[in-house]
Amino acid sequence: MTQVVVVAPHSDDECLGAGGTIARFAKAGAEITVVTVCSEMEPVFPATDRELIQREARAAHEALGVERSIFFDYPTTSVNLVPVAELNKRMLDVMEEVRPSVVLLPFPDRHIDHRVVSESAVVATRPYRNGRNIRLTAMYETISETYWNVPGSEPVFAPQWTVEISDTLQTKLDAFNLMPSRHAPFPGPRSIEALTGLAQLRGSQASCGYGEAFQIVRTSLAPGELNDILG
């Protein structure tokens, strides 16, 4: 059975960036683990936020076909204060336990949590020891943060792989609808309209109906095998 690990800085990033792809993997029989690194903790957020948001995330994961949800519970916007060795070890422990062949992680955009979590996931998925069994590591885009950058002085998301999600777009949208606390009314980026528009754009770039785009970190797959792993 194909093992897939999806690393999310916050609850909703995995759905926003890779929800349709997660659903495709699940339909193909893969076992999917989502690791969420940050949680909305006091005193920055109200005491009730963490429980509410994680409850919504678990419901969304179930809708997408996720087998296991792991929450590290580091404070949102403060994960950069966690010792690097500690975060890397926890990330590596998950990879050692699950032994995935596919890992999806966030693009290191303007959000400090995204950058720190992406760097940690890259370290934990190095092609060394058990990491040599990882056949694909790819970064997804998170609508809003991935584009709120300074062109020319920060990394720019440049995808090389598009997954067609025409058959799973509605599953992604339904899952996101189970996370109402994460919504923003259109024209806000975290809206059903914006997610649908991005999927249509990414699909049109790859000559398919709807798509999710990824930037590849490393892969041992031949170009023709990339979409074969989705079943």
Side-chain angles (χ1 to χ4, degrees), residues 57-93:
R58 291 183 190 277
H61 292 173
E62 182 177 356
L64 292 173
V66 172
E67 179 74 19
R68 184 182 181 195
S69 304
I70 298 172
F71 298 90
F72 282 179
D73 283 333
Y74 289 121
T76 293
T77 70
S78 298
V79 70
N80 58 306
L81 302 179
V82 175
V84 172
E86 176 185 333
L87 178 58
N88 288 358
K89 184 180 184 306
R90 292 192 69 181
M91 196 77 71
L92 183 60
D93 285 346

Side-chain angles (χ1 to χ4, degrees), residues 7 88 91 95 105-106 116-126:
V7 179
N88 288 358
M91 196 77 71
M95 303 303 169
L105 54 127
V116 171
V117 170
S118 182
E119 289 172 4
S120 180
V122 168
V123 169
T125 56
R126 289 174 295 182

Side-chain angles (χ1 to χ4, degrees), residues 100-130:
S101 55
V102 176
V103 178
L104 305 179
L105 54 127
F107 181 77
D109 53 43
R110 172 98 301 265
H111 199 307
I112 184 64
D113 293 346
H114 293 199
R115 297 204 302 274
V116 171
V117 170
S118 182
E119 289 172 4
S120 180
V122 168
V123 169
T125 56
R126 289 174 295 182
Y128 177 65
R129 294 180 178 170
N130 289 330

Side-chain angles (χ1 to χ4, degrees), residues 28-29 33 67 73 104 107 114 163-164 175 178 185 193 217-219 223:
T33 298
E67 179 74 19
D73 283 333
L104 305 179
F107 181 77
H114 293 199
V163 174
E164 181 170 5
L178 293 171
E193 295 90 341
V217 177
R218 63 178 61 90
T219 183

Side-chain angles (χ1 to χ4, degrees), residues 117-165:
V117 170
S118 182
E119 289 172 4
S120 180
V122 168
V123 169
T125 56
R126 289 174 295 182
Y128 177 65
R129 294 180 178 170
N130 289 330
R132 289 177 295 187
N133 297 318
I134 300 174
R135 303 200 65 199
L136 172 67
T137 305
M139 299 184 291
Y140 57 83
E141 55 187 338
T142 302
I143 197 165
S144 70
E145 273 89 356
T146 297
Y147 314 108
W148 293 342
N149 64 353
V150 182
S153 64
E154 294 181 302
V156 175
F157 183 73
Q160 303 108 340
W161 179 43
T162 300
V163 174
E164 181 170 5
I165 61 166

Side-chain angles (χ1 to χ4, degrees), residues 20-21 24 161-169 196-214 227 230:
T21 302
R24 274 200 63 176
W161 179 43
T162 300
V163 174
E164 181 170 5
I165 61 166
S166 298
D167 293 338
T168 56
L169 173 63
T196 303
L198 178 60
Q200 190 171 40
L201 169 65
R202 292 309 188 192
S204 71
Q205 291 174 328
S207 297
C208 63
Y210 295 91
E212 285 177 338
F214 297 85
N227 285 324
L230 290 158

